Amino acid sequence: MGEVKQAEQDLKALEAFVVSNPDLERLEALLDRFNIFEAVGMERQEISHSKFLAFLLDPNESHGMGDAFVKRLLQRAIMDSPNASAPVTPIELSLWDLGEMSVRREWRRIDIFLVDEREKLAVIIENKIGAGEHGDQLDRYHKIVREQYPDYRLLALYLTPDGDEPSHPEYLPVDYRAVCEIFDELAESWASVIEPDLRVLVTHYTEMLRRHIVGDSEIARLSRQIYQKHQRAIDLIYEHRFAQQEAIRKLLTKLIKEAPDLSYNTRYTHYPAGEWISFGADKWDVPSLNVAGGYAGQDNVLLFVIGNLPDRLNLKLSICPGDEETRTRLFNAARNNPTVFQNSSGSLK
């Protein structure tokens, strides 16, 4: 009776999770929504992020915001680092006209470098999405700018997803959450000025950042909320996520073992996304195709391998370790018969 009651409770949990669940429907809608930056695979491309940010930081570009974004970013970096001694104050920045500021990409290998001759301000922005600092690069960049612009005020920013602390004391940490919040503020205050196309573009960018970089998206919040409400059902689904693959594995194993001309390999390789099931053909069990010592429980050089993947089955004929002359002849025979052996490897490993 205990098992029956447990099954009934599990069924009710699944029904509550699947049927009339507005949170789940909202999550599915968000996951299906098109995002131009995700479409081009930009999520973790550090160089692409730097290029887009450089475009928005440049007052002379066609985004129509002038120096609004660069001012807000610098002010935010200074205000969020009260213990750091910045060479310029947020109030000074608000009074300055940075409309003639120039923006350079990869100048002396600096990700983004800003220079304003009128206000004699130089800004280093080191952008890190996945990797951390490399050697003494922060110190090296700082010295380069100091030498090239000795009488300029130098402001250095270290931009990372979580606002990591930079190794150099002159750099101010900035996180991508701040970038999202600045864009949100500008989108509201500059709504009548920003072109609709740019507004859509910036919205897509902040959505992508929140989803993939800062982990602060509506998708993340909904996911946490759904799991809190339906933990039992989700854990049950997770527990049985490989049930279909397990049933397929058992069926394939049974068929191979029952086949009179096949030899089942008693070892198979399992990994999170699937597994490899291997077997040999008895007719190929001849001295010329045998290998001393065996390979994964199989004494033949030739071995069939089935990839039991979540969404498909793959069948391959593998040339296992053995006599190199024999392996080379088999490989060349496969390459010379492309109609039979499709997608053969370009080299013999």
Side-chain angles (χ1 to χ4, degrees):
M1 291 296 292
E3 292 183 359
V4 173
K5 185 176 181 180
Q6 179 69 44
E8 291 177 351
Q9 292 175 342
D10 289 344
L11 181 59
K12 288 182 179 179
L14 288 171
E15 288 175 347
F17 174 62
V18 175
V19 180
S20 299
N21 185 345
D23 290 338
L24 183 61
E25 293 171 0
R26 174 61 179 165
L27 179 62
E28 290 174 343
L30 287 171
L31 291 172
D32 289 339
R33 190 158 66 187
F34 171 77
N35 185 288
I36 189 170
F37 293 98
E38 292 176 346
V40 298
M42 179 178 159
E43 297 93 331
R44 310 295 299 185
Q45 293 181 5
E46 194 173 281
I47 293 176
S48 297
H49 281 276
S50 294
K51 287 181 178 178
F52 188 64
L53 289 174
F55 164 76
L56 295 173
L57 287 165
D58 193 339
N60 302 296
E61 283 289 358
S62 58
H63 46 67
M65 294 185 292
D67 61 2
F69 177 51
V70 66
K71 280 187 177 181
R72 294 282 183 94
L73 182 64
L74 298 183
Q75 289 170 330
R76 178 67 178 265
I78 296 168
M79 290 188 295
D80 286 352
S81 305
N83 296 327
S85 56
V88 59
T89 68
I91 295 177
E92 284 180 304
L93 285 168
S94 66
L95 297 174
W96 287 353
D97 179 2
L98 300 179
E100 299 301 319
M101 173 175 276
S102 65
V103 179
R104 307 175 192 176
R105 283 274 300 116
E106 295 297 334
W107 178 79
R108 304 293 293 271
R109 306 194 70 176
I110 298 172
D111 288 333
I112 306 174
F113 181 56
L114 316 176
V115 179
D116 189 273
E117 295 182 0
R118 177 165 45 198
E119 304 298 345
K120 290 194 175 300
L121 175 68
V123 181
I124 299 170
I125 300 179
E126 182 60 21
N127 182 27
K128 297 293 185 186
I129 295 292
E133 296 181 35
H134 303 299
D136 63 343
Q137 64 177 154
L138 298 187
D139 184 56
R140 189 170 66 254
Y141 299 157
H142 202 271
K143 288 179 179 177
I144 289 171
V145 178
R146 276 286 181 220
E147 292 173 359
Q148 294 288 323
Y149 298 89
D151 57 340
Y152 277 53
R153 302 196 211 190
L154 175 55
L155 192 60
L157 274 54
Y158 187 60
L159 176 61
T160 62
D162 300 313
D164 297 343
E165 194 69 26
S167 62
H168 195 288
E170 297 296 326
Y171 282 75
L172 306 181
V174 187
D175 60 50
Y176 266 94
R177 183 174 285 102
V179 173
C180 293
E181 292 171 358
I182 292 169
F183 282 142
D184 290 342
E185 294 168 3
L186 290 174
E188 182 176 350
S189 60
W190 287 68
S192 60
V193 178
I194 299 177
E195 291 289 336
D197 289 345
L198 179 66
R199 186 185 180 93
V200 170
L201 194 66
V202 171
T203 300
H204 279 226
Y205 185 64
T206 55
E207 286 180 354
M208 182 270 293
L209 287 179
R210 288 189 165 109
R211 188 181 301 188
H212 299 281
I213 305 299
V214 302
D216 187 29
S217 65
E218 186 178 357
I219 288 176
R221 291 193 296 274
L222 270 175
S223 297
R224 292 191 293 267
Q225 182 175 317
I226 290 171
Y227 185 73
Q228 289 173 355
K229 287 184 179 179
H230 304 279
Q231 180 177 350
R232 183 170 187 166
I234 294 173
D235 289 347
L236 189 65
I237 293 170
Y238 187 80
E239 179 184 343
H240 294 283
R241 67 196 186 282
F242 295 128
Q244 183 179 18
Q245 285 176 267
E246 176 64 16
I248 292 173
R249 185 184 69 80
K250 290 180 179 179
L251 175 61
L252 289 172
T253 302
K254 179 176 180 292
L255 293 174
I256 293 169
K257 288 181 176 180
E258 291 177 352
D261 299 328
L262 301 180
S263 298
Y264 175 70
N265 183 355
T266 56
R267 294 173 59 186
Y268 69 93
T269 302
H270 180 79
Y271 51 94
E275 58 192 0
W276 297 110
I277 304 167
S278 54
F279 61 94
D282 291 345
K283 290 183 178 181
W284 295 347
D285 188 10
V286 295
S288 61
L289 294 179
N290 285 157
V291 51
Y295 173 70
Q298 180 71 29
D299 292 332
N300 288 356
V301 174
L302 290 173
L303 198 65
F304 285 103
V305 180
I306 300 175
N308 184 14
L309 306 175
D311 58 344
R312 66 189 184 281
L313 289 174
N314 286 340
L315 177 62
K316 298 180 180 181
L317 181 59
S318 177
I319 303 176
C320 304
D323 178 71
E324 285 304 312
E325 183 180 349
T326 301
R327 297 178 75 241
T328 300
R329 285 193 289 109
L330 291 170
F331 179 72
N332 290 335
R335 295 197 64 180
N336 292 333
N337 291 274
T339 56
V340 178
F341 300 97
Q342 300 178 8
N343 302 320
S344 59
S345 174
S347 61
L348 184 62
K349 299 179 180 178

